[in-house]
Amino acid sequence: MKEKLNKNEWVVLPVSISTARRIIEQCHYAASATNTRVYTHGLFRKGEDFFEQNCLGVAWWLPPTKNAAIATFNGEWRKVLSLTRLAIAPEVPKNAASFLLGKSIKMIDKDKWHCLVTYADTWQEHTGAIYKATNWEYMGMTKPSPVFQSDEGKMMGRKRGGKNLTVKELEELGFKKIGNFAKHKFRFVLNGA
């Protein structure tokens, strides 16, 4: 049985996109991430140097699409922030994901961001257990949307910057549609919102 994480032995710190990307490519089923972020927070064992190679988990945050933000929060849509990736190295103790997520949320500027949103992919058989365990509000299922994946297992969404890529453009980039899938949607309203 896997040991439980001792919160006194771990710390969460801001990390660079390159450090976060390494963890995502190694430990997340999407095997890819965007080139931007609002926050990337990394999980480290205390007593070790806080170098890239010692980062063992990451929470990656950026704004959702306008439509997703409006559908999530009745307040100002520009105050919604999305958890786009959450990944933990397999050797990290049990409960590391909830520890990382809780510490990461505490590091978010609550004057600027009033609501958080995230999704659990049904095509990966995810149910959102981590979000339920950390008191996120379940918002139901999204409409099914296409999932594109490369032969190497990397995922790519259709939206790139201000443009939606066509299926043909994605195929030319080496991504194939593997199906249409719904997601479980969760939100977390921050204090004072």
Side-chain angles (χ1 to χ4, degrees):
M1 189 166 148
K2 201 170 186 180
E3 68 175 293
K4 189 173 177 182
L5 180 135
N6 179 340
K7 65 182 181 178
N8 296 320
E9 296 175 358
W10 296 83
V11 64
V12 174
L13 301 168
V15 294
S16 68
I17 285 180
S18 62
T19 296
R21 179 169 281 109
R22 180 184 60 82
I23 296 293
I24 297 304
E25 289 175 352
Q26 292 174 356
C27 304
H28 194 277
Y29 63 89
S32 64
T34 66
N35 293 320
T36 62
R37 53 90 193 271
V38 174
Y39 302 104
T40 46
H41 298 135
L43 178 67
F44 295 87
R45 188 182 297 272
K46 285 183 182 177
E48 293 183 1
D49 292 326
F50 300 127
F51 296 131
E52 175 181 330
Q53 66 270 18
N54 293 331
C55 184
L56 294 171
V58 69
W60 193 311
W61 302 90
L62 56 108
T65 64
K66 180 178 179 180
N67 288 342
I70 289 169
T72 301
F73 187 59
N74 291 332
E76 173 61 46
W77 68 268
R78 288 183 177 94
K79 295 189 178 285
V80 179
L81 190 63
S82 178
L83 175 66
T84 61
R85 298 286 187 268
L86 180 66
I88 299 289
E91 67 268 22
V92 175
K94 188 174 154 183
N95 299 340
S98 58
F99 177 82
L100 169 58
L101 187 55
K103 295 292 185 185
S104 182
I105 290 170
K106 287 181 181 177
M107 298 169 77
I108 292 171
D109 180 349
K110 288 156 189 66
D111 291 328
K112 184 170 185 175
W113 305 104
H114 292 180
C115 183
L116 309 176
V117 64
T118 196
Y119 303 88
D121 285 319
T122 60
W123 76 279
Q124 288 289 313
E125 298 181 4
H126 291 177
T127 62
I130 182 65
Y131 309 119
K132 294 171 189 172
T134 53
N135 298 317
W136 288 62
E137 176 186 357
Y138 184 64
M139 302 289 293
M141 298 289 286
T142 65
K143 291 180 183 176
S145 61
V147 173
F148 296 88
Q149 195 172 36
S150 71
D151 289 339
E152 297 82 35
K154 288 189 175 188
M155 290 177 54
M156 180 179 270
R158 291 188 64 197
K159 191 169 245 345
R160 283 289 169 257
K163 178 185 176 186
N164 281 335
L165 298 176
T166 66
V167 171
K168 183 179 178 185
E169 288 171 321
L170 283 162
E171 288 172 348
E172 288 171 355
L173 291 169
F175 292 85
K176 296 176 189 143
K177 181 178 173 183
I178 61 171
N180 290 317
F181 302 93
K183 297 178 181 184
H184 297 283
K185 180 178 178 180
F186 296 86
R187 77 172 182 177
F188 191 96
V189 179
L190 298 171
N191 292 341

